[in-house]
Amino acid sequence: LWARGLRPYGIDASPAAVQACHRRGLTGVDRGDVTALPYPDARFDVVCINDALSHRDVPEAAALAELRRVCRPGGAFLVTDVAGPELYGRHDRAFDGARRYRRDDLLSRVRAAGLTVLRHNHHNVALYPAVRAVKAVKNRLGLGDEVDQAATPPPLDTLLRGVLTAEAAWIRRVDFPFGVGIMIAGRREA
């Protein structure tokens, strides 16, 4: 974004996440609350809420109202979050996840906030079958109380990047009925 002359801003509730951003030179990131953004009305041309609405301490309606408030009329928005209530498990609980969404449920919440939806789809579609199988086995056997945050081995990382890059081309043309996540793009009308 910087290379295109854009000035991104961001907030995160986690001090550790903010510090990690600052170490990477992302100085426009501050600690904050998605339901009480520290910006004036109609401040931004584009507003994103990424994987925050599903958290236990985030009232969805308040967060989406804030998105609408800080997005200028005619501005764009992107909301992404976790999909598939059937995938809910220990990993979600470990990161304070309260829910995973069905597409229609998240769409209705976004529309109820007075936002116009232009496009929506699932993402991480190719990984969904494997994620569902692993979660089902772990949940059934009571495994996985610990959360593995180890770095992905480079060969696996390269493979996953290739899968997600290929999927990105398909997402523009295919409406996927399932996926590990959901994305909703649109605009704030006047």
Side-chain angles (χ1 to χ4, degrees):
L1 295 175
W2 287 96
R4 294 184 176 182
L6 301 173
R7 174 83 168 107
Y9 294 87
I11 61 135
D12 199 293
S14 164
V18 172
Q19 290 171 358
C21 289
H22 290 178
R23 282 192 301 273
R24 291 181 173 170
L26 302 172
T27 57
V29 179
D30 294 305
R31 187 158 185 235
D33 179 349
V34 71
T35 65
L37 296 171
Y39 308 111
D41 294 357
R43 168 67 177 88
F44 297 107
D45 295 323
V46 179
V47 180
C48 301
I49 296 180
N50 298 315
D51 299 340
L53 297 177
S54 58
H55 285 256
R56 182 171 291 107
D57 296 330
V58 175
E60 302 150 302
L64 290 166
E66 278 294 274
L67 179 153
R68 187 177 193 289
R69 182 185 69 77
V70 300
C71 188
R72 71 164 174 77
F77 73 86
L78 176 68
V79 172
T80 68
D81 221 308
V82 292
E86 69 280 1
L87 299 178
Y88 187 83
R90 291 170 175 17
H91 182 86
D92 299 288
R93 287 188 293 278
F95 288 99
D96 292 326
R99 65 194 70 78
R100 285 180 160 267
Y101 292 99
R102 294 193 191 294
R103 183 183 350 207
D104 289 344
D105 293 337
L106 189 53
L107 281 169
S108 67
R109 286 168 172 78
V110 168
R111 289 178 175 132
L115 298 163
T116 300
V117 173
L118 300 176
R119 179 85 171 102
H120 55 86
N121 208 343
H122 284 93
H123 61 89
N124 286 336
V125 174
L127 301 178
Y128 177 86
V131 170
R132 185 163 184 184
V134 168
K135 283 195 178 237
V137 168
K138 282 186 168 186
N139 287 341
R140 177 160 290 166
L141 297 176
L143 300 174
D145 280 13
E146 74 290 339
V147 176
D148 183 7
Q149 288 188 292
T152 306
L156 180 57
D157 190 51
T158 300
L159 174 67
L160 292 173
R161 283 181 194 270
V163 167
L164 295 176
T165 298
E167 180 181 293
W170 281 94
I171 281 177
R172 293 185 184 109
R173 296 185 293 264
V174 178
D175 182 27
F176 291 107
F178 59 83
V180 177
I182 301 172
M183 61 184 133
I184 300 173
R187 107 176 125 249
R188 176 198 166 180
E189 304 295 344

